[in-house]
Amino acid sequence: MLSVSRRHRLLFGAIVWSGVGLGLGLAGTRWLVLHGGGWRWPSWAAAVAVGIAKGHFLLAPRAAANARRIAASDRVRPLTEAFSGAAWMLVAGMMALGWTLRHSGISWGIVGWIYAAVGTALLTGSRQAWLGWAREGRE
């Protein structure tokens, strides 16, 4: 297993939060714009607003706690410890839920709305991961 410094685990975590958020947000926006009907732009704006709120109130505290956990850990640990075991299980569950949504027959406009909201939430929450990475670099 690749072992890395705290700073690199923090960087990896921030990249994952941002990368997944960007990917989900772009995919969701595409599906919503292509299949959202006459309400596509107001629906997209609502998805972004919900995502910002979820990111600020639910995910940002989790990202900050994760950054604190890493900062308090041993100097060199496996890269996979950028997230806790429970967080990796949540990731697997969210991937399974995403697959289920995409294959459920639900309108692509609705799936797009959900993806746009979740992607925005992850991007909003990722700010705390990036701040944790920046703090580790100053210490």
Side-chain angles (χ1 to χ4, degrees):
M1 182 62 52
L2 176 65
S3 291
V4 297
S5 69
R6 285 189 297 260
R7 183 159 168 79
H8 285 103
R9 289 192 311 271
L10 288 162
L11 177 61
F12 176 70
I15 289 170
V16 168
W17 277 81
S18 297
V20 172
L22 183 62
L24 291 175
L26 290 174
T29 297
R30 180 175 181 268
W31 295 330
L32 187 53
V33 168
L34 292 176
H35 305 283
W39 289 91
R40 72 187 76 168
W41 293 113
S43 294
W44 178 81
V48 168
V50 167
I52 289 170
K54 179 181 178 179
H56 179 75
F57 292 110
L58 297 176
L59 297 185
R62 293 300 325 135
N66 192 56
R68 286 190 304 274
R69 180 187 61 79
I70 293 170
S73 69
D74 293 340
R75 185 159 184 79
V76 176
R77 300 288 302 164
L79 181 63
T80 56
E81 290 187 21
F83 298 104
S84 67
W88 284 115
M89 294 299 292
L90 182 61
V91 166
M94 294 300 288
M95 289 172 66
L97 181 59
W99 185 92
T100 301
L101 274 173
R102 290 190 313 276
H103 295 87
S104 67
I106 294 173
S107 159
W108 282 103
I110 294 170
V111 173
W113 193 94
I114 294 167
Y115 270 59
V118 171
T120 301
L122 285 167
L123 280 171
T124 301
S126 75
R127 180 176 181 271
Q128 291 299 319
W130 287 107
L131 288 172
W133 173 73
R135 273 191 301 275
E136 184 68 22
R138 289 192 299 261
E139 295 174 6

